[in-house]
């Protein structure tokens, strides 16, 4: 018997493939197995990303409220909360990407520790460095709420993170 997660994925997969096949028919193109597999992998990455976003945002808000209630780092409370949210949510993403998205084929090998380090490096570039700069711009320059800034950051970080994870962090070892 399949678990609820597997059943949910099968339903999502069926809907995604229906629309993907429809688009390819409209474009008069053939949907290859490789294109189908790549697109489904991106969808899985997106699902992990949505859960990561929720985890990150919840941790961010909790940290922000905790820091503010303690009266610490009032000038940079949102940056500290961003850092804590980053560290914990990347660990969450790594676990699910390794288990669900970038799986290792039977007989293939991948160093989990190496992939974890590469994941933190890749997310550090887009997730911490880029997001921190953008948070400063949103909050200090455009006066956008520190509660909404992380949502704006997703437009840049998600596609870049997928490519870096697929072709570097979770790359199969030769």
């Amino acid at each position: 018997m399949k678990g609820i997660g597997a059943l949910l994925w099968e339903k999502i997969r069926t809907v995604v493939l229906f629309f993907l096949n429809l688009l390819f028919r409209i474009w008069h193109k053939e949907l290859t197995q490789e294109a189908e597999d790549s697109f489904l992998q991106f969808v899985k990455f997106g699902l992990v990303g949505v859960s990561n976003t929720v985890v990150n945002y919840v941790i961010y808000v909790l940290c922000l409220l905790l820091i503010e209630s303690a009266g610490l780092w009032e000038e940079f409370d949102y940056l500290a909360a961003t850092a804590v949210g980053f560290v914990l949510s990347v660990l969450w993403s790594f676990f699910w990407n390794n288990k669900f998205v970038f799986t290792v084929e039977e007989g293939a090998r991948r160093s989990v520790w190496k992939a974890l380090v590469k994941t933190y490096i890749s997310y550090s570039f887009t997730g911490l460095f880029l997001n921190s700069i953008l948070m400063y711009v949103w909050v200090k320059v455009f006066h956008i709420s520190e509660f909404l800034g992380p949502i704006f950051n997703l437009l840049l970080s998600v596609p870049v993170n997928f490519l870096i994870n697929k072709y570097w962090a979770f790359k199969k070892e030769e």
Side-chain angles (χ1 to χ4, degrees):
M1 176 172 246
K2 289 185 175 182
I4 195 162
L7 291 173
L8 180 59
W9 169 244
E10 283 304 314
K11 292 201 181 291
I12 292 169
R13 183 182 180 280
T14 301
V15 170
V16 167
L17 288 179
F18 171 78
F19 285 108
L20 190 60
N21 276 302
L22 183 64
L23 283 174
F24 271 71
R25 274 190 251 131
I26 290 170
W27 293 330
H28 303 289
K29 300 284 184 185
E30 180 185 343
L31 178 60
T32 65
Q33 188 63 48
E34 184 180 348
E36 182 180 304
D37 292 344
S38 291
F39 192 78
L40 288 172
Q41 186 179 44
F42 183 74
V43 169
K44 286 181 180 180
F45 185 81
L47 292 172
V48 171
V50 168
S51 73
N52 176 56
T53 300
V54 170
V55 167
N56 188 335
Y57 191 69
V58 167
I59 292 169
Y60 171 80
V61 169
L62 291 174
C63 287
L64 192 62
L65 294 172
L66 182 65
I67 291 168
E68 286 179 354
S69 70
L72 302 171
W73 300 333
E74 291 179 14
E75 180 79 19
F76 300 104
D77 55 349
Y78 59 95
L79 294 176
T82 297
V84 173
F86 166 78
V87 169
L88 297 177
S89 67
V90 170
L91 191 58
W92 169 273
S93 282
F94 172 78
F95 175 81
W96 289 109
N97 280 325
N98 191 53
K99 183 177 178 73
F100 181 60
V101 180
F102 304 110
T103 56
V104 178
E105 298 164 2
E106 194 171 322
R109 296 176 7 136
R110 174 171 53 224
S111 167
V112 173
W113 291 108
K114 193 181 209 180
L116 179 61
V117 168
K118 286 180 174 182
T119 299
Y120 270 102
I121 291 169
S122 65
Y123 277 77
S124 290
F125 172 70
T126 58
L128 188 58
F129 177 72
L130 181 62
N131 283 340
S132 293
I133 290 170
L134 289 173
M135 283 298 293
Y136 182 84
V137 171
W138 301 140
V139 173
K140 296 296 185 182
V141 176
F142 293 110
H143 306 290
I144 294 173
S145 167
E146 61 266 19
F147 291 95
L148 295 176
I151 296 168
F152 289 107
N153 290 348
L154 294 174
L155 298 173
L156 294 171
S157 62
V158 171
V160 172
N161 279 330
F162 175 75
L163 295 172
I164 292 171
N165 277 280
K166 180 175 178 134
Y167 295 109
W168 185 60
F170 289 95
K171 183 179 176 185
K172 296 174 187 97
E173 293 181 5
E174 302 295 324

